[in-house]
Amino acid sequence: MPTITVVGAGPGLGLAIARRFGREGFNVALLARTREKLDTLVAELATEGITAAGFTADILDPSTVAPAFEAMKERFGSVDVFEFSPAPHSPISGFSMDGPLDVTYDNLQPQLEYYLYGAITAAQQVLPAMLEAGKGTLLFTTGGGSISPSPIMGNVNAAQAALRNWVLNVHQVVAKRGVYAAHVAISAWIGQTPGAEPSTIAELYWDLYIAQTQAEAVFTVPVNPDASAAHAS
């Protein structure tokens, strides 16, 4: 059976992506900082007949990442799909959202370590094997600000834009060797507005995996013409 690993797994989008691929026969390897959270997600997937296991690691601590992937490979073998979508829902020391004029080394560096360095460190655990095999999928997630910046998140936008740039470069190189890499920008508050439910967004990831053509996709909440007309009147 093929395996998908979800880096930064949580009860929202990460679980939805795991569930979507699990329904298609994938084993699911979940990576997050908290064992309790992982155990809860694994148990929920198990009730749906999906084989899953959790592995603890902190992408802000590179020394924890390699051991987690080694344990993952021992359990499931090679990773066929790698998905990166961590989000600092709980407070993390040094994290803040700052406008572009307030961006400093101190408030940008943690964001770079979280998004850019974290993604690169995690992807390096599976990319060499994918290149050797001539197949594999890498999917990376950021907010929509990586493409259309929002001034209230000047430092976050900069870090996520750096990750986007790296992924688009990777796509150009690895596509020639049978590996697919793509970036997903989510321009919506996940689970907080109609049309931006995690299960809806997860369909985009499955579609990208099946098609394996575009280097980038942007998720936006569909506009309801009837609602717009009613608001205008």
Side-chain angles (χ1 to χ4, degrees), residues 78-80 126-136 177-179:
S78 62
V79 172
D80 302 275
V126 300
L127 182 53
M130 288 182 177
L131 291 172
E132 183 177 355
K135 61 181 180 178
R177 301 176 61 180
V179 176

Side-chain angles (χ1 to χ4, degrees), residues 113-126:
E113 291 179 354
Y114 193 76
Y115 291 104
L116 180 62
Y117 305 159
I120 292 174
T121 299
Q124 285 174 337
Q125 308 306 312
V126 300

Side-chain angles (χ1 to χ4, degrees), residues 56-210:
T56 57
D58 183 351
I59 60 172
L60 287 172
D61 182 358
S63 68
T64 68
V65 176
F69 273 88
E70 284 302 318
M72 189 184 302
K73 293 170 188 175
E74 288 179 9
R75 172 67 187 275
F76 293 122
S78 62
V79 172
D80 302 275
V81 179
F82 168 97
E83 193 278 323
F84 182 87
S85 57
H89 295 298
S90 58
I92 298 177
S93 177
F95 272 64
S96 62
M97 289 195 305
D98 299 277
L101 301 184
D102 296 317
V103 172
T104 64
Y105 175 92
D106 289 336
N107 61 40
L108 176 57
Q109 185 63 23
Q111 301 290 346
L112 287 169
E113 291 179 354
Y114 193 76
Y115 291 104
L116 180 62
Y117 305 159
I120 292 174
T121 299
Q124 285 174 337
Q125 308 306 312
V126 300
L127 182 53
M130 288 182 177
L131 291 172
E132 183 177 355
K135 61 181 180 178
T137 296
L138 302 164
L139 301 172
F140 300 85
T141 307
T142 69
S146 63
I147 299 175
S148 300
S150 173
I152 64 171
M153 296 188 290
N155 58 336
V156 179
N157 290 168
Q160 293 187 343
L163 173 55
R164 172 182 178 252
N165 182 278
W166 177 74
V167 175
L168 296 181
N169 275 321
V170 168
H171 173 86
Q172 294 184 60
V173 175
V174 301
K176 304 171 185 177
R177 301 176 61 180
V179 176
Y180 172 61
H183 169 252
V184 179
I186 301 178
S187 293
W189 293 107
I190 301 173
Q192 297 185 27
T193 52
E197 294 80 11
S199 59
T200 300
I201 300 173
E203 290 295 332
L204 174 59
Y205 290 79
W206 179 254
D207 291 344
L208 288 171
Y209 167 71
I210 292 299

